[in-house]
């Protein structure tokens, strides 16, 4: 393996962009966790998996934020701590992303029954938390995590570039699982979409009414689009990290390109924000409830701060509010 390229200097503007990406990712992950806590009826098994992915992304964003903020100039104890946390969280995020795809494949295509799905969830926990933990503990114990001169990161610490077997540990602590996800995710979601299309075609033969057929086609189209975007977003975010990894292995000075550095920083830190956009803002049931919650909060604030008026005014206001609150549950979508 060639000697590493000279250290990549992180410009203040690049640091600011990556820090903003970390904050947005943390907020997005927090919002996903909040929706899971607020509305129990939305706690499907798939969204429970999404909750665990959000927790991993939240820890990843926090650890990356600290690393980019510190912009380590050399090895230190907090560099090792940050590198260990980000390694664990990042690797766990890969596993949970694939776990969601695998669960959807088994549930939709293979029609897995509830007891089998329950055992599968435990297997996901063991693999998605256990494997990253074992790898991270081993890397810390063998002193493989340390200062990497930002050649394969954007200011945070990861694998020490002075280690002789750094390539092996770069693969074990992230890159191997990342590249496997590049292949696994598109294949699984392609099989899911293919199954949905076949089911829709079979159902259309028994649906002679045009309006019903159009409605089914519309819902299937929305589902297909969301399924397409999941692996697409993952690959678009993570590919820049892989590009810089390959350039580092080749000893290319292009690894220090400002564009690549920023794209790498955003790609590694914005996974939580992308999941929030996908599964909260682009999901009608969750989006409607969030808007309803925000509107109720905005409407209740002026009434609480308004001065006392004539006796009949507060009564009519309360009546209007009670009528509005009675209509709110009926307007919320069931799915």
């Amino acid at each position: 393996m060639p000697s590493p390229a000279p250290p990549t200097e992180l410009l203040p503007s690049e640091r600011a962009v990556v820090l903003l990406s970390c904050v947005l990712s943390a907020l997005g992950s927090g919002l996903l966790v909040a929706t899971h806590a607020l509305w129990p009826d939305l706690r499907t098994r798939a969204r429970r998996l999404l909750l665990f992915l959000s927790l991993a992304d939240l820890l990843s964003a926090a650890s990356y934020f600290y690393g980019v903020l510190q912009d380590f100039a050399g090895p230190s104890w907090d560099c090792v701590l940050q590198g260990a946390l980000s390694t664990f969280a990042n690797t766990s995020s890969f596993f949970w992303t694939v776990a969601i795809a695998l669960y959807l494949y088994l549930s939709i295509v293979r029609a897995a029954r509830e007891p089998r799905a329950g055992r599968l969830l435990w297997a996901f926990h063991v693999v998605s938390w256990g494997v990253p933990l074992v790898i991270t503990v081993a890397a810390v114990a063998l002193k493989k995590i340390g200062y990497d001169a930002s050649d394969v990161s954007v200011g945070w610490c990861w694998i020490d570039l002075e280690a002789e077997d750094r390539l092996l540990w770069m693969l074990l602590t992230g890159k191997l699982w990342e590249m496997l996800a590049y292949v696994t995710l598109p294949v699984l979601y392609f099989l899911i979409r293919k199954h949905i299309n076949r089911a829709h075609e079979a159902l259309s033969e028994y649906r002679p009414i045009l309006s019903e057929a159009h409605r089914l086609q519309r819902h299937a189209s929305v589902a297909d689009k969301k399924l397409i975007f999941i692996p697409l977003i993952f690959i678009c975010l993570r590919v820049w990290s892989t590009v810089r990894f390959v350039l580092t292995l080749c000893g290319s000075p292009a690894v220090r390109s400002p564009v690549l550095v920023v794209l790498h920083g955003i790609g590694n830190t914005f996974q939580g924000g992308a999941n929030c956009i996908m599964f909260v803002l682009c999901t009608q049931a969750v989006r409607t409830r969030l808007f309803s919650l925000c509107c109720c909060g905005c409407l209740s604030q002026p009434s609480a701060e308004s001065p006392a008026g004539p006796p009949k005014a507060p009564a009519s206001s309360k009546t209007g509010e009670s009528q509005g609150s009675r209509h709110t549950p009926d307007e919320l979508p069931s799915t």
Side-chain angles (χ1 to χ4, degrees), residues 78-301:
D78 55 340
C79 170
V80 175
L81 177 60
Q82 178 269 306
L85 289 175
S86 61
T87 297
F88 169 76
N90 205 34
T91 308
S92 180
S93 178
F94 293 153
F95 279 101
W96 280 116
T97 303
V98 176
I100 292 174
L102 182 59
Y103 173 78
L104 291 176
Y105 171 78
L106 293 175
S107 300
I108 297 174
V109 180
R110 297 297 181 183
R113 297 182 180 274
E114 190 68 19
R116 186 184 301 176
R119 292 193 297 268
L120 192 64
L121 181 60
W122 283 107
F124 287 156
H125 277 293
V126 172
V127 173
S128 299
W129 298 124
V131 173
L133 180 62
V134 170
I135 293 174
T136 303
V137 170
V140 173
L142 295 174
K143 298 182 179 180
K144 302 301 179 181
I145 292 181
Y147 179 62
D148 63 9
S150 295
D151 288 334
V152 285
S153 72
V154 188
W156 55 77
C157 291
W158 187 33
I159 299 300
D160 189 355
L161 290 184
E162 298 298 325
E164 294 181 359
D165 53 352
R166 58 186 179 273
L167 175 59
L168 172 63
W169 284 99
M170 285 178 185
L171 292 173
L172 288 176
T173 56
K175 292 305 170 187
L176 175 63
W177 318 113
E178 184 178 73
M179 288 184 282
L180 286 176
Y182 289 156
V183 178
T184 306
L185 288 176
V187 169
L188 288 176
Y189 282 111
F190 172 77
L191 294 175
I192 293 171
R193 185 186 178 189
K194 186 178 180 181
H195 178 81
I196 290 176
N197 288 339
R198 285 181 178 177
H200 172 65
E201 291 173 0
L203 187 60
S204 298
E205 295 178 3
Y206 300 96
R207 297 288 185 179
I209 303 176
L210 276 176
S211 59
E212 182 68 13
H214 284 312
R215 186 181 67 84
L216 291 171
Q217 186 177 5
R218 185 172 63 253
H219 286 300
S221 177
V222 172
D224 287 349
K225 287 179 180 178
K226 293 190 73 172
L227 291 175
I228 290 172
F229 280 125
I230 291 173
L232 188 61
I233 288 175
F234 178 85
I235 293 173
C236 287
L237 286 175
R238 294 291 182 174
V239 69
W240 310 110
S241 171
T242 306
V243 169
R244 291 194 74 212
F245 169 70
V246 173
L247 291 175
T248 300
L249 297 184
C250 298
S252 171
V255 72
R256 302 189 301 276
S257 168
V259 175
L260 276 180
V261 171
V262 171
L263 289 174
H264 179 189
I266 295 174
N268 267 45
T269 59
F270 194 64
Q271 191 68 44
N275 290 336
C276 178
I277 293 172
M278 196 70 203
F279 296 104
V280 174
L281 302 181
C282 293
T283 301
Q284 185 178 2
V286 183
R287 184 177 66 247
T288 305
R289 295 186 184 206
L290 279 176
F291 287 165
S292 178
L293 184 64
C294 293
C295 290
C296 288
C298 293
L299 289 174
S300 61
Q301 181 125 23

Side-chain angles (χ1 to χ4, degrees), residues 311-331:
K312 291 184 180 180
S316 61
S317 175
K318 291 179 181 178
T319 304
E321 290 174 5
S322 63
Q323 289 175 353
S325 62
R326 281 200 301 267
H327 289 296
T328 301
D330 296 334
E331 293 170 357

